[in-house]
Amino acid sequence: MTVLAVWAGIGLSAVWLPSAVLLWQAVGALLLGAAATDLFLLRRLPSPRLARRMNRTLPQGVWSQVELRFANPSPYPLRLEVHDLHPAEFGVSGLPQTLRLAAKVRASLKYRLRPATRGDFLMPGCDLLLRSPLGLWQQRRTLGLQVQLRVFPNFAEISHYTLLAANDQLAQVGVRRLQRRGIGAEFHQLREYRRGDSLRQIDWKATSRMRKLISREYQDERDQRLVFLLDCGRRMRHQDAGRGHLDEALNALLLLAYVAVRQGDAVGLMTYGGPKRWLAPRKEPATVSRMLETIYDLQPSMEAADPLSAGQELLRALPRRALVVIITNSRDEDQAGLEQTAALLRRRHLVVIADLRESALDETLDAPIQDLRGALRFHAVNDWLARRRRHQERLQHLGVHVLDLLPAQLPVALVNRYFAIKRAGSL
């Protein structure tokens, strides 16, 4: 820019000094030659070699690091502006970046990506803005470096729960282990008497043999079945605090699946109201991984979910008794179908319905009433919640376990209800 300003100054001075015209033309010719040479050198510059290091399986909503490694094969230094072609749905931090590569050297840069939604995504390559040696020209080049990414539910959150479950520390997040009633429990082992053991637990033969009190220890029944019936319809598109209801449901589902497999139960899955997925109940350790592969790309559809058709299909696919957990978000017009589904499944299975509601409803009830509009809103929400409670009472009269809760409360509430059912021997 300085050289151009000097050249322009010489051209202006030529208005008063005719002898400066030749100087202006000579400088212009030199500049034109330099620009042409600079453009020629830019086009001859080889593109740097590029490698991308990152995980191809990413957790939803979590920042993940990406490293771009460059190698300059030419004997000339390279000046680059780098922008990696990440999916448009992802958040990004640290792009674009400027990089200077000396001749025959390697360098790297790092940035972060945060996937907002689950599913399959493509990173087609990397965009480079290459500057000429004199800095007079820029050329955009795209390096093909195609990578297929898979975004899974936030397994970092799930692993927190599963780690606690592995160490029997789920009580730290609100999961309660209820006392077993003694019905439907299987004998596990003999151990020394502990304070609080009932007299019925004492094994008198072992006590007389060991000359100290010995108790029988029981474990919950194993080899039972747990099947999720997951609503993927339009109701599950709602979001609370930036998180979709279906996302929260998948996290809770995976947590309970992990816990149930550790308890020795078989776990399966059926979806309705959108993409159709069916996973028959299995209890091997790979069940949770197989389930994650089945559901990671599920997205809520625009369809109106039909729980009755789904219940009929599940009844045909699941002849043996199981604990069926229906996860949905219902409205008044959905209640008739939900009650029919519960009555149908209740003939053979034990049914739990986790009915999600939006946090905006609770916030409306908690907000101070300051005007007529606020009062009308308060009474409308109160009336709707009262109708919702009446529908849930009818479900309970059918013998169905009902959970009415916010999406964030779902993981711990489902595990608590599962343990309560196991301890009570209801299944």
Side-chain angles (χ1 to χ4, degrees):
M1 295 298 294
T2 303
V3 174
L4 289 176
V6 171
W7 181 59
I10 296 173
L12 290 175
S13 65
V15 176
W16 296 279
L17 298 173
S19 59
V21 172
L22 292 177
L23 178 62
W24 177 75
Q25 291 175 341
V27 173
L30 287 175
L31 289 178
L32 181 60
T37 303
D38 197 32
L39 178 60
F40 175 76
L41 292 176
L42 173 62
R43 297 178 67 87
R44 292 289 300 273
L45 282 177
S47 298
R49 292 192 295 270
L50 173 62
R52 185 193 289 117
R53 293 191 62 186
M54 65 181 301
N55 291 327
R56 298 194 179 189
T57 300
L58 304 178
Q60 179 188 7
V62 176
W63 287 105
S64 300
Q65 184 171 278
V66 183
E67 182 180 7
L68 297 176
R69 294 185 171 185
F70 294 89
N72 182 5
S74 74
Y76 307 102
L78 299 178
R79 289 182 293 170
L80 312 169
E81 186 171 301
V82 181
H83 184 76
D84 208 6
L85 298 177
H86 59 83
E89 300 88 346
F90 287 21
V92 62
S93 173
L95 284 181
Q97 289 193 39
T98 301
L99 182 67
R100 183 179 180 85
L101 279 173
K104 302 291 185 179
V105 302
R106 300 173 183 271
S108 65
L109 61 84
K110 297 178 180 179
Y111 70 96
R112 297 188 303 160
L113 289 177
R114 182 171 63 183
T117 56
R118 293 169 288 98
D120 295 310
F121 299 91
L122 180 67
M123 294 184 69
C126 182
D127 263 2
L128 305 179
L129 191 63
L130 187 62
R131 299 182 186 276
S132 61
L134 296 180
L136 301 177
W137 303 93
Q138 294 178 341
Q139 183 183 23
R140 178 180 174 180
R141 299 181 184 179
T142 300
L143 303 183
L145 193 63
Q146 185 168 302
V147 173
Q148 188 74 32
L149 301 179
R150 298 194 301 171
V151 179
F152 279 29
N154 186 358
F155 42 76
E157 290 184 357
I158 300 168
S159 64
H160 167 67
Y161 287 118
T162 55
L163 181 61
L164 294 177
N167 295 295
D168 292 326
Q169 294 175 349
L170 280 171
Q172 294 182 12
V173 291
V175 173
R176 303 182 303 276
R177 290 279 193 148
L178 302 179
Q179 290 293 324
R180 184 186 292 110
R181 294 183 182 178
I183 302 174
E186 296 178 347
F187 173 76
H188 179 48
Q189 64 183 3
L190 294 176
R191 57 166 173 78
E192 288 190 22
Y193 176 85
R194 296 175 188 166
R195 189 172 182 179
D197 288 350
S198 68
L199 290 178
R200 289 183 297 176
Q201 284 183 250
I202 299 176
D203 189 306
W204 294 107
K205 289 184 179 180
T207 296
S208 62
R209 197 164 51 245
M210 301 295 295
R211 297 188 178 182
K212 59 182 177 181
L213 288 174
I214 301 295
S215 293
R216 301 186 189 94
E217 187 174 87
Y218 296 89
Q219 65 182 3
D220 297 324
E221 289 186 18
R222 303 169 74 86
D223 297 322
Q224 296 177 327
R225 282 156 298 283
L226 165 66
V227 177
F228 296 97
L229 192 58
L230 179 63
D231 183 356
C232 298
R234 61 188 181 187
R235 305 291 190 205
M236 301 296 282
R237 299 178 66 88
H238 292 288
Q239 293 197 350
D240 277 305
R243 295 172 65 98
H245 284 199
L246 185 58
D247 295 324
E248 296 281 13
L250 292 179
N251 282 354
L253 181 152
L254 291 170
L255 169 63
L256 182 51
Y258 176 87
V259 171
V261 169
R262 282 182 55 85
Q263 294 291 314
D265 290 343
V267 181
L269 167 79
M270 178 178 286
T271 63
Y272 70 100
K276 303 291 185 182
R277 308 284 170 86
W278 164 243
L279 187 65
R282 299 180 181 177
K283 65 174 182 177
E284 56 260 27
T287 297
V288 178
S289 299
R290 189 179 296 109
M291 184 171 290
L292 189 59
E293 292 280 349
T294 303
I295 65 176
Y296 80 93
D297 60 342
L298 277 177
Q299 299 295 340
S301 71
M302 294 298 294
E303 298 179 19
D306 184 358
L308 182 57
S309 296
Q312 292 168 343
E313 187 176 350
L314 181 62
L315 206 59
R316 291 191 294 269
L318 195 64
R320 299 179 62 187
R321 181 172 172 80
L323 171 60
V324 177
V325 178
I326 303 175
I327 304 178
T328 186
N329 181 331
S330 69
R331 295 290 185 274
D332 288 346
E333 58 269 27
D334 305 321
Q335 292 303 322
L338 203 55
E339 290 177 17
Q340 292 173 346
T341 304
L344 178 69
L345 293 175
R346 188 66 182 87
R347 300 173 189 172
R348 183 183 300 163
H349 306 295
L350 180 63
V351 180
V352 173
I353 296 179
D355 198 358
L356 305 180
R357 68 174 187 273
E358 291 76 22
S359 60
L361 300 172
D362 294 25
E363 293 167 2
T364 299
L365 295 181
D366 294 337
I369 301 174
Q370 299 177 336
D371 52 20
L372 177 60
R373 183 185 296 273
L376 293 175
R377 186 184 302 113
F378 175 86
H379 285 291
V381 171
N382 219 3
D383 181 61
W384 186 84
L385 290 176
R387 293 198 306 273
R388 180 182 173 94
R389 285 192 294 271
R390 288 194 294 271
H391 290 310
Q392 292 170 350
E393 287 171 1
R394 285 202 291 269
L395 289 171
Q396 290 171 343
H397 287 317
L398 293 172
V400 173
H401 296 255
V402 179
L403 300 175
D404 178 14
L405 70 181
L406 301 175
Q409 299 170 335
L410 185 60
V412 171
L414 275 186
V415 176
N416 273 332
R417 186 54 58 99
Y418 168 78
F419 278 138
I421 290 170
K422 294 281 287 183
R423 294 295 170 120
S426 304
L427 186 57

PDB file of all heavy atoms in Angstrom, residues 68-82:
ATOM      1  N   LEU A  68      -5.285 -29.459  13.429  1.00  0.00           N
ATOM      2  CA  LEU A  68      -4.908 -29.472  12.020  1.00  0.00           C
ATOM      3  C   LEU A  68      -3.386 -29.415  11.932  1.00  0.00           C
ATOM      4  O   LEU A  68      -2.763 -28.469  12.448  1.00  0.00           O
ATOM      5  CB  LEU A  68      -5.519 -28.288  11.276  1.00  0.00           C
ATOM      6  CG  LEU A  68      -7.053 -28.231  11.215  1.00  0.00           C
ATOM      7  CD1 LEU A  68      -7.510 -26.946  10.539  1.00  0.00           C
ATOM      8  CD2 LEU A  68      -7.615 -29.448  10.496  1.00  0.00           C
ATOM      9  N   ARG A  69      -2.795 -30.413  11.273  1.00  0.00           N
ATOM     10  CA  ARG A  69      -1.345 -30.490  11.135  1.00  0.00           C
ATOM     11  C   ARG A  69      -0.943 -30.184   9.693  1.00  0.00           C
ATOM     12  O   ARG A  69      -1.396 -30.864   8.761  1.00  0.00           O
ATOM     13  CB  ARG A  69      -0.849 -31.877  11.543  1.00  0.00           C
ATOM     14  CG  ARG A  69      -1.056 -32.174  13.022  1.00  0.00           C
ATOM     15  CD  ARG A  69      -0.444 -33.508  13.397  1.00  0.00           C
ATOM     16  NE  ARG A  69      -0.443 -33.692  14.837  1.00  0.00           N
ATOM     17  CZ  ARG A  69       0.118 -34.733  15.453  1.00  0.00           C
ATOM     18  NH1 ARG A  69       0.714 -35.684  14.728  1.00  0.00           N
ATOM     19  NH2 ARG A  69       0.085 -34.835  16.764  1.00  0.00           N
ATOM     20  N   PHE A  70      -0.101 -29.177   9.524  1.00  0.00           N
ATOM     21  CA  PHE A  70       0.316 -28.733   8.202  1.00  0.00           C
ATOM     22  C   PHE A  70       1.793 -29.070   7.987  1.00  0.00           C
ATOM     23  O   PHE A  70       2.606 -29.003   8.918  1.00  0.00           O
ATOM     24  CB  PHE A  70       0.127 -27.222   8.047  1.00  0.00           C
ATOM     25  CG  PHE A  70      -1.302 -26.784   8.074  1.00  0.00           C
ATOM     26  CD1 PHE A  70      -1.932 -26.473   9.273  1.00  0.00           C
ATOM     27  CD2 PHE A  70      -2.036 -26.680   6.900  1.00  0.00           C
ATOM     28  CE1 PHE A  70      -3.255 -26.068   9.295  1.00  0.00           C
ATOM     29  CE2 PHE A  70      -3.351 -26.272   6.917  1.00  0.00           C
ATOM     30  CZ  PHE A  70      -3.957 -25.969   8.121  1.00  0.00           C
ATOM     31  N   ALA A  71       2.142 -29.396   6.749  1.00  0.00           N
ATOM     32  CA  ALA A  71       3.536 -29.592   6.340  1.00  0.00           C
ATOM     33  C   ALA A  71       3.766 -28.805   5.057  1.00  0.00           C
ATOM     34  O   ALA A  71       3.011 -28.942   4.088  1.00  0.00           O
ATOM     35  CB  ALA A  71       3.832 -31.074   6.129  1.00  0.00           C
ATOM     36  N   ASN A  72       4.800 -27.962   5.043  1.00  0.00           N
ATOM     37  CA  ASN A  72       5.127 -27.143   3.877  1.00  0.00           C
ATOM     38  C   ASN A  72       6.190 -27.863   3.047  1.00  0.00           C
ATOM     39  O   ASN A  72       7.359 -27.927   3.449  1.00  0.00           O
ATOM     40  CB  ASN A  72       5.631 -25.774   4.337  1.00  0.00           C
ATOM     41  CG  ASN A  72       5.936 -24.856   3.166  1.00  0.00           C
ATOM     42  OD1 ASN A  72       5.688 -25.202   2.003  1.00  0.00           O
ATOM     43  ND2 ASN A  72       6.473 -23.678   3.455  1.00  0.00           N
ATOM     44  N   PRO A  73       5.829 -28.395   1.862  1.00  0.00           N
ATOM     45  CA  PRO A  73       6.814 -29.130   1.063  1.00  0.00           C
ATOM     46  C   PRO A  73       7.695 -28.237   0.197  1.00  0.00           C
ATOM     47  O   PRO A  73       8.639 -28.715  -0.428  1.00  0.00           O
ATOM     48  CB  PRO A  73       5.924 -30.021   0.186  1.00  0.00           C
ATOM     49  CG  PRO A  73       4.688 -29.213  -0.021  1.00  0.00           C
ATOM     50  CD  PRO A  73       4.490 -28.415   1.247  1.00  0.00           C
ATOM     51  N   SER A  74       7.373 -26.939   0.128  1.00  0.00           N
ATOM     52  CA  SER A  74       8.077 -26.055  -0.805  1.00  0.00           C
ATOM     53  C   SER A  74       9.262 -25.387  -0.122  1.00  0.00           C
ATOM     54  O   SER A  74       9.328 -25.294   1.112  1.00  0.00           O
ATOM     55  CB  SER A  74       7.114 -24.990  -1.334  1.00  0.00           C
ATOM     56  OG  SER A  74       6.855 -24.030  -0.328  1.00  0.00           O
ATOM     57  N   PRO A  75      10.215 -24.848  -0.918  1.00  0.00           N
ATOM     58  CA  PRO A  75      11.360 -24.113  -0.345  1.00  0.00           C
ATOM     59  C   PRO A  75      11.025 -22.654  -0.018  1.00  0.00           C
ATOM     60  O   PRO A  75      11.913 -21.875   0.295  1.00  0.00           O
ATOM     61  CB  PRO A  75      12.414 -24.187  -1.462  1.00  0.00           C
ATOM     62  CG  PRO A  75      11.616 -24.272  -2.718  1.00  0.00           C
ATOM     63  CD  PRO A  75      10.365 -25.034  -2.378  1.00  0.00           C
ATOM     64  N   TYR A  76       9.745 -22.303  -0.105  1.00  0.00           N
ATOM     65  CA  TYR A  76       9.321 -20.936   0.172  1.00  0.00           C
ATOM     66  C   TYR A  76       8.406 -20.926   1.396  1.00  0.00           C
ATOM     67  O   TYR A  76       7.635 -21.865   1.622  1.00  0.00           O
ATOM     68  CB  TYR A  76       8.566 -20.344  -1.023  1.00  0.00           C
ATOM     69  CG  TYR A  76       9.321 -20.435  -2.316  1.00  0.00           C
ATOM     70  CD1 TYR A  76       9.003 -21.412  -3.258  1.00  0.00           C
ATOM     71  CD2 TYR A  76      10.348 -19.544  -2.601  1.00  0.00           C
ATOM     72  CE1 TYR A  76       9.693 -21.512  -4.455  1.00  0.00           C
ATOM     73  CE2 TYR A  76      11.051 -19.636  -3.809  1.00  0.00           C
ATOM     74  CZ  TYR A  76      10.720 -20.619  -4.719  1.00  0.00           C
ATOM     75  OH  TYR A  76      11.408 -20.705  -5.893  1.00  0.00           O
ATOM     76  N   PRO A  77       8.452 -19.890   2.177  1.00  0.00           N
ATOM     77  CA  PRO A  77       7.520 -19.794   3.311  1.00  0.00           C
ATOM     78  C   PRO A  77       6.091 -19.569   2.813  1.00  0.00           C
ATOM     79  O   PRO A  77       5.872 -18.982   1.746  1.00  0.00           O
ATOM     80  CB  PRO A  77       8.039 -18.594   4.106  1.00  0.00           C
ATOM     81  CG  PRO A  77       8.788 -17.770   3.113  1.00  0.00           C
ATOM     82  CD  PRO A  77       9.381 -18.737   2.121  1.00  0.00           C
ATOM     83  N   LEU A  78       5.135 -20.030   3.585  1.00  0.00           N
ATOM     84  CA  LEU A  78       3.716 -19.889   3.238  1.00  0.00           C
ATOM     85  C   LEU A  78       3.007 -19.099   4.332  1.00  0.00           C
ATOM     86  O   LEU A  78       3.248 -19.317   5.522  1.00  0.00           O
ATOM     87  CB  LEU A  78       3.055 -21.264   3.095  1.00  0.00           C
ATOM     88  CG  LEU A  78       3.591 -22.202   2.017  1.00  0.00           C
ATOM     89  CD1 LEU A  78       2.833 -23.521   2.064  1.00  0.00           C
ATOM     90  CD2 LEU A  78       3.470 -21.566   0.641  1.00  0.00           C
ATOM     91  N   ARG A  79       2.130 -18.213   3.898  1.00  0.00           N
ATOM     92  CA  ARG A  79       1.268 -17.483   4.835  1.00  0.00           C
ATOM     93  C   ARG A  79      -0.179 -17.848   4.524  1.00  0.00           C
ATOM     94  O   ARG A  79      -0.646 -17.635   3.399  1.00  0.00           O
ATOM     95  CB  ARG A  79       1.497 -15.979   4.710  1.00  0.00           C
ATOM     96  CG  ARG A  79       2.851 -15.522   5.251  1.00  0.00           C
ATOM     97  CD  ARG A  79       3.007 -14.029   5.145  1.00  0.00           C
ATOM     98  NE  ARG A  79       3.070 -13.583   3.747  1.00  0.00           N
ATOM     99  CZ  ARG A  79       3.011 -12.307   3.386  1.00  0.00           C
ATOM    100  NH1 ARG A  79       2.867 -11.349   4.300  1.00  0.00           N
ATOM    101  NH2 ARG A  79       3.081 -11.976   2.112  1.00  0.00           N
ATOM    102  N   LEU A  80      -0.855 -18.395   5.526  1.00  0.00           N
ATOM    103  CA  LEU A  80      -2.187 -18.954   5.307  1.00  0.00           C
ATOM    104  C   LEU A  80      -3.194 -18.357   6.275  1.00  0.00           C
ATOM    105  O   LEU A  80      -2.862 -17.994   7.408  1.00  0.00           O
ATOM    106  CB  LEU A  80      -2.177 -20.482   5.535  1.00  0.00           C
ATOM    107  CG  LEU A  80      -1.094 -21.319   4.874  1.00  0.00           C
ATOM    108  CD1 LEU A  80      -1.116 -22.716   5.443  1.00  0.00           C
ATOM    109  CD2 LEU A  80      -1.334 -21.346   3.372  1.00  0.00           C
ATOM    110  N   GLU A  81      -4.429 -18.287   5.806  1.00  0.00           N
ATOM    111  CA  GLU A  81      -5.572 -18.104   6.703  1.00  0.00           C
ATOM    112  C   GLU A  81      -6.425 -19.357   6.577  1.00  0.00           C
ATOM    113  O   GLU A  81      -6.845 -19.715   5.479  1.00  0.00           O
ATOM    114  CB  GLU A  81      -6.375 -16.863   6.342  1.00  0.00           C
ATOM    115  CG  GLU A  81      -7.482 -16.564   7.359  1.00  0.00           C
ATOM    116  CD  GLU A  81      -8.127 -15.214   7.127  1.00  0.00           C
ATOM    117  OE1 GLU A  81      -7.414 -14.194   7.168  1.00  0.00           O
ATOM    118  OE2 GLU A  81      -9.356 -15.211   6.886  1.00  0.00           O
ATOM    119  N   VAL A  82      -6.656 -20.036   7.691  1.00  0.00           N
ATOM    120  CA  VAL A  82      -7.246 -21.377   7.694  1.00  0.00           C
ATOM    121  C   VAL A  82      -8.662 -21.323   8.246  1.00  0.00           C
ATOM    122  O   VAL A  82      -8.916 -20.698   9.291  1.00  0.00           O
ATOM    123  CB  VAL A  82      -6.389 -22.333   8.551  1.00  0.00           C
ATOM    124  CG1 VAL A  82      -6.988 -23.738   8.537  1.00  0.00           C
ATOM    125  CG2 VAL A  82      -4.953 -22.354   8.063  1.00  0.00           C
TER     126      VAL A  82
END
